[in-house]
Amino acid sequence: YSARYISASRTASIWLDESRKVDTLEEERRLRGKYIESLNLQMGWHMTTDEIALLADDFTYNAQRYGFFSDVKPWLTQWQKQYSLGLLSDAMPSILIFLQQYGIRHLFNAAVLSTQVGAIKPDARMYHAILNALDARASDCLFVDDRPFNVEIACQLGMRGVQMSRAEFPPSLLWDGPVVYSFEELNRLLDSGELT
């Protein structure tokens, strides 16, 4: 990306602030339109109103734009038989539609998005929201995330924590606690009893 585009995207990103409440897909669609309008203006792309609308629709409603690792569905299907699963994500409302279309939404006992809470991880409100949604105690929960500070806050709140460091998207930092590199490795760790 050019420096100009990076600067324009940074300026436009105020419209896609995942720490703000966004209650509906329609509201997300409007915000995505504002984001694209801002980029269009700053970059001098001369996109028409219709082109901006089509692009905003595509970003909001097109599940093909969102990718999942191929091992997500099999492992969630297996774990759902053994555990209550919760999803805690810094994301816009459309992620729930994409999860549904991908066939994994039903595998989560609860899902909490930052745009429902009005905060992003590692804000403690996020963790309390998923605990409430699961009707679970922190001490009974294992929190898995790729960012060390998100895992550290979960542990400070009484959860156990594991950092996920997939080879495809390695995090820039690793924490001092347990780190796994795949769902298979996470499953071995769960089976070992080391996390209890």
Side-chain angles (χ1 to χ4, degrees):
Y1 297 114
S2 69
R4 183 180 176 199
Y5 177 82
I6 291 168
S7 175
S9 181
R10 200 170 285 138
T11 300
S13 68
I14 62 165
W15 294 107
L16 298 180
D17 180 357
E18 292 172 340
S19 69
R20 290 176 24 193
K21 285 192 127 232
V22 179
D23 295 320
T24 64
L25 276 175
E26 292 72 26
E27 186 177 355
E28 175 184 341
R29 160 59 183 79
R30 183 184 65 78
L31 292 170
R32 290 194 182 278
K34 292 289 187 184
Y35 172 82
I36 296 164
E37 283 175 17
S38 177
L39 278 181
N40 184 48
L41 182 64
Q42 293 178 77
M43 296 299 295
W45 287 337
H46 306 292
M47 293 173 67
T48 67
T49 303
D50 286 346
E51 288 170 334
I52 291 170
L54 286 170
L55 200 50
D57 285 345
D58 190 53
F59 274 100
T60 306
Y61 303 113
N62 180 6
Q64 300 306 311
R65 282 193 166 275
Y66 200 92
F68 295 93
F69 291 106
S70 61
D71 60 347
V72 168
K73 191 171 185 177
W75 280 112
L76 290 180
T77 300
Q78 177 176 323
W79 289 330
Q80 202 264 342
K81 297 169 187 168
Q82 302 170 264
Y83 310 105
S84 291
L85 300 177
L87 171 72
L88 186 64
S89 183
D90 296 336
M92 289 283 180
S94 57
I95 186 64
L96 297 178
I97 302 301
F98 300 161
L99 290 168
Q100 185 74 33
Q101 291 177 2
Y102 189 66
I104 61 175
R105 172 63 185 93
H106 71 284
L107 298 173
F108 293 101
N109 299 84
V112 172
L113 307 181
S114 59
T115 48
Q116 294 169 329
V117 177
I120 57 173
K121 296 176 287 185
D123 190 304
R125 290 175 290 173
M126 289 285 284
Y127 302 87
H128 291 302
I130 193 63
L131 289 172
N132 289 337
L134 288 168
D135 192 24
R137 295 179 305 192
S139 59
D140 292 333
C141 295
L142 171 67
F143 182 81
V144 181
D145 197 285
D146 61 339
R147 298 186 180 191
F149 46 85
N150 290 342
V151 182
E152 288 163 0
I153 295 297
C155 291
Q156 289 173 21
L157 294 171
M159 300 180 200
R160 286 159 291 144
V162 172
Q163 184 180 6
M164 174 65 73
S165 176
R166 283 186 177 270
E168 301 91 338
F169 296 102
S172 57
L173 295 171
L174 294 178
W175 79 315
D176 293 333
V179 178
V180 296
Y181 299 89
S182 67
F183 278 159
E184 184 176 359
E185 194 172 341
L186 176 59
N187 191 64
R188 282 198 300 271
L189 194 59
L190 288 166
D191 286 346
S192 74
E194 292 178 37
L195 297 172
T196 55

